[in-house]
C-alpha cells in the first residue's frame, strides 16, 4: 500500500511566487517522475507547471492542455520530454494510461490527477494547492508530498 514519505508546505502570495516555486521544484525532477497537481479552478496549477517547464528547459509555450488533454514539450539539450496532461475530462487511471505516455522516460505533470496512479507507477509526487474560496485572499497553500510503495523518497518534497 502506498504511503506518504515526505512532505513540504509553502505559502504562496502571488502568481510570480507560484511560478518561482515551479522553477524550484522543476529543478529536482527527473525522467520517470509523475507529478499530480490538484486544486480548484484558478488555483495556479498551470502557472506552477510553467515554472517547472522553465526549470527543465521546455521548448515552446507551456499552456493548459485542456482541449487536447496532453501536450509534449521537448527539453533543450535533453533526450527526455515534459508531458503536461489535463485529466479533468478523464475518468480513471486506465484512461490516463491509454494516452500512451512513456512515463519511464518523461517527466509527467498531470493536472486534476488525484487517484490516477493505479497500474502506472509505485512512486509519484502529489502537489495540493489550496486557496481561500471566499475571495478575501489570493494566498495559496501548496503541499508537496512524495508517495512511494517501495523505495525511499526524496527530492521534490524537500524543495
Amino acid at each position: 500500500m502506498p504511503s506518504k514519505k515526505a512532505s513540504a508546505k509553502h505559502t504562496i502570495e502571488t502568481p510570480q511566487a507560484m511560478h518561482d516555486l515551479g522553477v524550484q521544484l522543476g529543478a529536482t525532477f527527473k525522467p520517470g517522475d509523475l507529478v499530480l497537481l490538484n486544486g480548484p479552478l484558478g488555483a495556479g496549477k498551470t502557472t506552477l507547471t510553467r515554472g517547472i517547464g522553465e526549470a527543465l528547459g521546455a521548448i515552446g509555450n507551456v499552456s493548459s492542455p485542456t482541449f487536447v488533454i496532453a501536450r509534449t514539450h521537448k527539453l533543450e539539450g535533453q533526450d527526455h520530454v515534459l508531458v503536461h496532461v489535463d485529466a479533468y475530462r478523464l475518468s480513471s487511471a486506465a484512461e490516463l494510461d491509454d494516452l500512451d505516455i512513456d512515463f519511464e522516460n518523461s517527466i509527467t505533470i498531470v493536472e486534476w490527477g488525484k487517484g490516477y496512479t493505479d497500474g502506472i507507477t509505485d512512486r509519484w509526487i502529489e502537489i495540493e494547492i489550496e486557496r481561500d474560496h471566499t475571495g478575501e485572499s489570493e494566498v495559496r497553500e501548496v503541499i508537496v508530498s512524495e508517495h512511494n510503495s517501495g523505495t525511499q523518497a526524496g527530492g521534490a518534497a524537500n524543495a
Side-chain angles (χ1 to χ4, degrees), residues 18 23 60 63 65 73 84 95 97 100 104 107-108 112 118 122 124 130 133 145 147 153 155 157:
M18 184 69 77
V23 171
S63 60
H73 300 275
H84 182 196
E95 286 187 2
D97 194 40
D100 288 331
E104 274 187 39
I107 297 166
T108 307
W112 305 97
D118 290 345
D122 62 356
W124 68 95
E130 300 171 356
H133 295 287
S145 55
H147 299 261

Side-chain angles (χ1 to χ4, degrees), residues 73-127:
H73 300 275
K74 292 183 179 181
L75 304 177
E76 293 177 9
Q78 304 293 323
D79 291 330
H80 56 279
V81 296
L82 170 65
V83 179
H84 182 196
V85 178
D86 185 326
Y88 187 77
R89 290 181 286 148
L90 302 180
S91 60
S92 68
E95 286 187 2
L96 177 60
D97 194 40
D98 284 346
L99 297 176
D100 288 331
I101 296 167
D102 181 0
F103 289 101
E104 274 187 39
N105 297 305
S106 304
I107 297 166
T108 307
I109 311 294
V110 182
E111 295 187 25
W112 305 97
K114 190 176 194 94
Y116 286 3
T117 58
D118 290 345
I120 293 175
T121 187
D122 62 356
R123 188 185 72 77
W124 68 95
I125 298 156
E126 192 160 331
I127 301 175

Side-chain angles (χ1 to χ4, degrees), residues 12 15-29 47-56 127:
I12 303 298
Q16 183 61 50
M18 184 69 77
H19 180 272
D20 293 346
L21 177 61
V23 171
Q24 180 184 358
L25 292 170
T28 70
F29 295 157
T47 300
L48 185 74
T49 303
R50 283 189 188 109
I52 292 167
E54 180 180 314
L56 296 172
I127 301 175

